[in-house]
């Protein structure tokens, strides 16, 4: 019976690894790939590489802080919360810390 079952959340499966994430940016689909260890995330987006430190709040929530911000916006940490997981992907909610606007996305594990 699927009714009333809580969504699957095996967050520890996604704490480390290589991932891809696709988002709509100005009506265009853009892909980011990233590698994550327990304390570092390295993103590649449109040929640019960025590194962020990771502070885990619990198994399903963490805060990213850009290590080399190029402007004020990049200095702000991002809070990420894993909402549901499958065998190979997770759906998450994210927002800039201090900003009430939340966005959703799905990341797929590629290793």
């Amino acid at each position: 019976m699927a009714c009333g079952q809580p969504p699957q959340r095996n967050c520890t499966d996604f704490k480390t690894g290589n991932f891809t994430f696709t988002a709509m940016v100005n009506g265009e689909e853009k892909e980011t790939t990233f590698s994550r260890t327990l304390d570092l995330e390295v993103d590649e987006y449109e040929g640019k590489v960025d590194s962020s430190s990771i502070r885990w709040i619990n198994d399903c929530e963490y805060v990213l802080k850009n290590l080399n911000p190029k402007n004020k916006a990049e200095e702000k940490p991002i809070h990420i919360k894993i909402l549901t997981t499958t065998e190979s992907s997770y759906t998450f909610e994210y927002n800039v810390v201090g900003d009430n606007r939340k966005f959703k996305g799905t990341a797929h594990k590629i290793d």
Side-chain angles (χ1 to χ4, degrees):
M1 290 215 169
C3 272
Q5 290 288 327
Q8 184 176 325
R9 257 176 53 149
N10 295 322
C11 301
T12 54
D13 293 351
F14 298 99
K15 279 188 146 181
T16 61
N18 298 308
F19 304 88
T20 181
F21 164 61
T22 305
M24 291 301 281
V25 179
N26 299 324
E28 202 176 325
E29 200 171 85
K30 302 280 186 172
E31 184 177 84
T32 300
T33 57
F34 58 98
S35 298
R36 184 165 54 228
T37 64
L38 287 177
D39 56 4
L40 184 69
E41 186 169 293
V42 178
D43 308 311
E44 185 176 332
Y45 175 72
E46 295 191 324
K48 296 183 182 87
V49 177
D50 257 334
S51 300
S52 300
S53 64
I54 298 173
R55 181 175 57 82
W56 287 93
I57 298 166
N58 58 46
D59 281 345
C60 295
E61 291 182 67
Y62 60 98
V63 175
L64 288 177
K65 186 151 177 52
N66 193 314
L67 295 176
N68 302 297
K70 292 164 191 64
N71 56 48
K72 283 278 185 206
E74 288 185 7
E75 288 178 11
K76 296 180 178 177
I78 296 174
H79 176 255
I80 297 173
K81 180 178 183 178
I82 297 173
L83 302 173
T84 60
T85 64
T86 68
E87 278 188 27
S88 62
S89 69
Y90 65 92
T91 299
F92 61 98
E93 182 178 80
Y94 63 99
N95 66 293
V96 173
V97 172
D99 188 335
N100 290 331
R101 291 175 300 163
K102 294 188 187 301
F103 304 93
K104 280 190 179 175
T106 300
H108 297 272
K109 200 162 191 177
I110 52 176
D111 58 271

